[in-house]
């Protein structure tokens, strides 16, 4: 209530503020008086060079800056890494400039001319900005850019920052997809239109407290009216061939921006896995050895459609409507299992085979509406947002097993069917206010979210019997959650210092009801989430930064369902309706030298982190994956990054991380003993980006990723190595782009996960199609220099839909 009152007081005060404003207009030319279209224009405070506002010149080199308060400013134009001399302006009336002159000299070496500039890194108080526009890196895909972003660890399909999974945003809107789907999307999104990537290890107070680390992809701004479109496709040869196709269309007038996109990604994939379990008796002796091989074939045809409409009523009022639809009909997954059971002396005792067939259908529909009103005070604005998500998922499963003795003689059959359904509706509303105060600024806002999740699972059509599976496992589970939040943040810049303070408060009320268990679990708590960011830059080459943030991790809706999903009757995963949110405290200390060398020391107390823990039960010989709040979890490490142009045509990027991770949990099948799983690991990533022709249209890259070991709940992985290579060629003034890339050249990107402690001794080795060659094609038509208004939908509630990989 106190935060709400502060927000209303600030808002009412702002409505009474007004100031006379002026505009600056001009054009940008080079030293030979040639027009430079699409140059960047920056207006800075003359006192401390802090950013005031910016724009881009149009295709005739003309620009206009509006709503400028009377003051002393510096005005500068830049293009492809070069800038005009800063021009001092005392704004007391409208200003019409002659021209800003940018001296454009091309770098040359042995008659090789390179016009693309180098990637740059900039530390702001609450984030690291990796600028890639018009660089060699931007010639790849958005996924390539994220892999090259300082502080980002790529582990299989997961993007991680300091041991935590990162959330991907596009223009400050969350990409609402699973890990593999995010990778597929970003591999199809050209990096040419990417301006920068913002890395937020501790997101500011305006983001939900459960945001975790954020990677925000910022695209270039819209420039001139017109139409553009593109078609793109990829062909991938792995074990099975697969392809993707997409088309995008964008239309802009003075008031209207309209973007429509459709993509289809039909594919067939095979995942192979090996599992081994040594069951141990009370004397710590192995009495049974199980080995199994899984071959899982999955067919899917994912459709994605997006519609985005931006409309500017006038200079003060604008509206955005975003809608996206993702459907995955008829997803077919067939898993064949061959297993052998041996006694403690490794003599064959029996075998069994299992066929697990699943038919899955998912529909994900979202609508997002945002209204923005600019207040009379320059830079002040008020925005309102409403959001609705509907998710519908269903799955039919048929499982059948046949058991044989050591000589191949028939023993018994067992099988069953399941039918599961999930219906989730999410509604949110949010209001935000932002305003500058001299060379400082404030942000405040309130948000309400409501989640209703209805889930059911039925077991039927039993053949034979088994102690681990029966019809009583059928259940209905309903979950309702409401979160009321408010935040306030303050930013101040002076001389060599920048500081940002923020606090967010969230009141959570939730209940989960299981009909079969006949129990109701409730949550009712209020938690504050403070954040602090300090940046000190004693000179242009040196900067020091410190940040702290407190966050929350709420359970995914699927994890709360107390259902069992079986791979076979002895191997299953089970949800936990008693899961509780976990709270973390995150500290980072950074040093930057010349925007090329970066040192980052971090410490994270992850509290009662929600983990997926795998336990073998030696009594009934099962392997179960359980969701559990651990007793304690922490991680710390040192990251070192080198981002440097070695020559005008060779850019080198290297990132290394020395880290420690540990989690303490209850080993539920080992008499609930406490056990701490801990590792000391090393991560290394090396990328070489090469410009192979003097006009910059032919580029190549060679990369390597190495992970010594990794902590995954109760498992520890061994080392993995990924060597990649790629070539890209653009034709017809960037209208056509052709690329070819190869992954996992040495076939070493497949780790083994082991769990050996107390009375636990098991492992698994999962091998997806990591080795492949991919050919990509993009054709741009219309006024393809336009930058579109594509964006995702920024709702953490949707992220917890969390589809399984």
């Amino acid at each position: 209530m106190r935060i709400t009152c502060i927000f209303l007081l600030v808002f009412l005060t702002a409505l009474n503020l007004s100031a006379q404003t002026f505009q600056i207009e001009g054009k940008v030319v080079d030293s030979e008086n040639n027009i430079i279209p699409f140059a960047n224009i920056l207006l800075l405070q003359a006192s401390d060079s802090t950013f005031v506002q910016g724009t881009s010149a149009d295709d005739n080199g003309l620009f206009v800056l509006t709503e400028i308060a009377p003051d002393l400013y510096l005005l500068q134009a830049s293009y492809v890494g070069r800038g005009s001399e800063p021009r001092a302006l005392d704004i007391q009336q409208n200003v019409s400039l002659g021209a800003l002159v940018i001296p454009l000299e091309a770098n040359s070496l042995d008659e090789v001319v390179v016009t693309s500039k180098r990637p740059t890194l900039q530390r702001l108080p609450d984030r690291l900005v990796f600028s890639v526009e018009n660089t060699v890196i931007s010639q790849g895909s958005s996924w390539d850019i994220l892999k090259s972003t300082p502080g980002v660890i790529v582990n299989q399909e997961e993007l991680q920052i300091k041991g935590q999974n990162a959330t991907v945003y596009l223009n400050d809107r969350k990409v609402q997809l699973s890990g593999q789907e995010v990778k597929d999307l970003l591999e199809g999104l050209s990096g040419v239109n990417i301006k920068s990537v913002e890395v937020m290890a501790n997101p500011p107070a305006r983001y939900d407290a459960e945001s975790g680390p954020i990677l925000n992809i910022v695209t270039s701004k819209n420039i001139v009216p017109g139409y553009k479109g593109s078609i793109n496709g990829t062909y991938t040869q792995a074990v099975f061939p697969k392809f993707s196709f997409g088309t995008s269309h964008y239309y802009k007038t003075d008031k209207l921006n309209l973007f429509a996109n459709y993509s289809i990604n039909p594919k067939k994939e095979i995942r192979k896995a090996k599992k081994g379990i040594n069951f141990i008796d009370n004397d710590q002796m192995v009495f049974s050895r199980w080995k199994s091989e899984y071959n899982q074939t999955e067919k899917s045809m994912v459709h994605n459609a997006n519609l985005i409409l931006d409309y500017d009523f006038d200079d003060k009022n604008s509206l955005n409507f975003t809608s996206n639809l993702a459907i995955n009909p008829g997803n077919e997954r067939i898993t064949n299992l061959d297993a052998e059971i041996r006694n403690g002396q490794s003599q064959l005792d029996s075998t069994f085979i299992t066929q697990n067939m699943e038919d899955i259908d998912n529909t994900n529909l979202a609508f997002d509406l945002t209204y923005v009103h600019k207040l009379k005070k320059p830079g002040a604005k008020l925005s309102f947002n409403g959001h609705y998500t509907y998710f519908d998922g269903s799955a039919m499963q048929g499982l059948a097993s046949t058991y044989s003795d050591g000589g191949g003689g028939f023993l018994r059959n067992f099988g069953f069917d399941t039918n599961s359904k999930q219906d989730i509706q999410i509604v949110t509303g949010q209001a935000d206010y932002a305003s500058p105060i001299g060379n400082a600024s404030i942000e405040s806002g309130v948000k309400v979210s409501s989640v209703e999740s209805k889930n059911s699972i039925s077991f039927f059509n039993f053949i034979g019997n088994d102690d681990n599976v029966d019809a009583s496992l059928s259940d209905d589970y309903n979950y309702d959650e409401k979160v009321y939040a408010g935040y306030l943040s303050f930013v101040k810049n002076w001389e060599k210092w920048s500081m940002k303070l923020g606090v967010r408060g969230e009141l959570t009320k939730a209940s989960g009801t299981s009909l079969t268990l006949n129990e109701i679990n409730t949550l009712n708590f209020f938690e504050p989430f403070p954040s602090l960011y300090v940046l000190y830059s004693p000179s242009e080459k040196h900067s020091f930064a410190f940040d702290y943030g407190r966050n929350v991790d709420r359970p995914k809706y699927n994890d709360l369902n107390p259902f069992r999903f079986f791979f076979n009757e002895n191997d299953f995963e089970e949800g936990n309706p008693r899961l509780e949110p976990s709270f973390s405290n995150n500290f980072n200390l950074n040093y930057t030298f010349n925007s090329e060398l970066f040192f980052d020391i971090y410490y994270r107390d992850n509290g009662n982190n929600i983990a997926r823990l795998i336990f073998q039960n030696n009594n009934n010989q099962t392997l179960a994956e359980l969701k559990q709040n651990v007793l304690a979890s922490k991680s710390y490490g040192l990251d070192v990054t080198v981002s440097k142009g070695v020559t005008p045509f060779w850019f080198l990027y290297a990132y290394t991380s020395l880290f420690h991770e540990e989690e303490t949990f209850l080993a539920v099948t080992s008499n609930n003993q406490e056990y701490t799983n801990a590792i000391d690991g090393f991560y290394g990533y090396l990328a070489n980006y090469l410009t192979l022709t003097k006009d910059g249209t032919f580029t190549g890259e060679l990369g390597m990723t190495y992970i010594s070991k990794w902590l995954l709940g109760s498992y520890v992985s061994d080392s993995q190595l990924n060597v990649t290579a790629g070539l890209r060629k653009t034709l017809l003034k960037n209208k056509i782009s052709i690329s070819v890339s190869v992954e996992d050249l040495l076939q070493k990107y497949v780790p083994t996960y082991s769990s050996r402690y107390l009375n636990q001794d098991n492992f698994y080795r999962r091998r997806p199609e990591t080795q492949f060659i991919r050919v990509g094609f993009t054709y741009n038509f219309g006024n393809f220099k336009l930058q579109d208004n594509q964006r995702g939908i920024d709702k953490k509630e949707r992220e917890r839909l969390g589809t399984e990989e």
Side-chain angles (χ1 to χ4, degrees), residues 173-436:
R173 304 275 179 158
K174 183 181 181 299
V175 179
Q176 302 290 346
L177 299 170
S178 66
Q180 180 60 51
E181 291 170 330
V182 166
K183 182 180 178 183
D184 292 340
L185 170 69
L186 297 179
E187 284 181 333
L189 179 62
S190 174
V192 173
N193 295 330
I194 304 303
K195 179 180 180 180
S196 62
V197 177
E198 298 176 343
V199 182
M200 290 172 268
N202 283 329
R206 70 177 297 267
Y207 295 93
D208 290 343
E210 62 173 323
S211 293
I214 287 176
L215 290 170
N216 182 37
I217 301 173
V218 181
T219 62
S220 302
K221 299 296 183 182
N222 304 320
I223 302 173
V224 294
Y227 164 79
K228 74 169 184 177
S230 69
I231 57 173
N232 60 80
T234 64
Y235 174 83
T236 303
Q237 182 61 58
V239 177
F240 295 114
K242 49 190 70 68
F243 72 93
S244 66
F245 173 81
T247 180
S248 300
H249 302 272
Y250 174 64
Y251 177 70
K252 176 180 170 61
T253 67
D254 291 337
K255 292 181 176 292
L256 175 69
N257 292 348
L258 186 63
F259 174 81
N261 167 263
Y262 168 76
S263 64
I264 183 173
N265 187 14
K267 59 183 177 181
K268 178 181 180 181
E269 290 187 308
I270 186 169
R271 296 182 178 92
K272 297 183 178 182
K274 292 183 178 181
K275 285 189 176 182
I277 313 171
N278 292 327
F279 290 107
I280 301 172
D281 60 23
N282 293 331
D283 296 323
Q284 296 298 305
M285 299 295 294
V286 175
F287 68 90
S288 185
R289 305 177 188 271
W290 292 40
K291 290 185 179 180
S292 55
E293 293 188 1
Y294 291 77
N295 283 331
Q296 183 184 89
T297 303
E298 182 171 4
K299 296 179 181 178
S300 62
M301 185 174 291
V302 180
H303 303 260
N304 280 284
N306 299 273
L307 177 65
I308 301 172
L309 184 150
D310 293 314
Y311 188 78
D312 297 325
F313 297 98
D314 50 42
D315 293 338
K316 300 290 186 181
N317 301 281
S318 61
L319 187 73
N320 165 259
F321 172 76
T322 300
S323 177
N324 57 47
L325 173 66
I327 57 175
N328 186 9
N331 185 4
E332 181 183 90
R333 187 180 299 161
I334 301 175
T335 305
N336 293 307
L337 164 67
D338 290 299
E340 61 178 30
I341 303 172
R342 297 179 179 270
N343 60 24
Q345 291 72 43
S346 297
Q347 297 171 330
L348 184 63
D349 180 68
S350 60
T351 63
F352 68 90
I353 60 173
T354 298
Q355 185 177 67
N356 189 346
M357 301 182 65
E358 298 174 87
D359 291 313
I360 305 169
D361 289 287
N362 290 327
T363 299
N364 192 328
L365 176 63
F367 301 98
D368 202 89
L369 185 66
T370 301
Y371 169 74
V372 178
H373 173 66
K374 295 180 180 179
L375 303 173
K376 290 183 179 180
K377 183 178 181 180
K381 67 179 181 179
L382 186 65
S383 60
F384 301 91
N385 174 267
H387 173 86
Y388 174 75
T389 284
Y390 173 72
F391 176 84
D392 176 71
S394 63
M396 292 287 296
Q397 178 191 32
L399 187 149
S401 297
T402 301
Y403 291 80
S404 304
D405 60 26
F410 173 79
L411 291 177
R412 66 184 179 94
N413 286 333
F414 178 74
F416 59 89
D417 296 332
T418 65
N419 183 11
S420 61
K421 295 182 180 180
Q422 187 172 38
D423 186 309
I424 299 175
Q425 297 189 62
I426 301 171
V427 180
T428 71
Q430 184 167 343
D432 298 281
Y433 170 75
S435 175

Side-chain angles (χ1 to χ4, degrees), residues 26-83:
K27 67 177 181 178
V28 184
V29 299
D30 64 17
S31 53
E32 297 180 356
N33 205 34
N34 297 313
I35 291 173
I36 301 179
F38 316 125
N40 294 321
I41 314 299
L42 297 178
L43 185 67
L44 310 174
Q45 286 283 354
S47 59
D48 56 8
S49 297
T50 56
F51 176 80
V52 178
Q53 63 168 288
T55 187
S56 296
D58 62 19
D59 53 358
N60 294 313
L62 303 176
F63 68 89
V64 178
L65 294 169
T66 60
E67 297 184 350
I68 302 172
D71 207 341
L72 293 174
Y73 298 98
L74 296 175
L75 184 68
Q76 185 177 29
S78 64
Y79 184 74
V80 195
R82 302 190 180 277

Side-chain angles (χ1 to χ4, degrees), residues 428-485:
T428 71
Q430 184 167 343
D432 298 281
Y433 170 75
S435 175
I437 305 176
N439 63 346
S441 64
I442 63 169
E443 286 183 317
S444 62
V446 293
K447 178 181 178 180
V448 178
S449 66
S450 174
V451 178
E452 294 184 1
S453 177
K454 297 180 179 180
N455 314 269
S456 66
I457 188 169
S458 300
F459 287 77
F460 54 93
N461 293 341
F462 284 88
I463 300 173
N465 60 77
D466 190 283
D467 293 337
N468 299 315
V469 192
D470 57 54
S472 67
L473 293 172
S474 301
D475 197 3
D476 287 278
Y477 180 77
N478 296 327
Y479 178 77
D480 295 300
E481 176 186 277
K482 290 181 173 58
V483 178
Y484 308 89

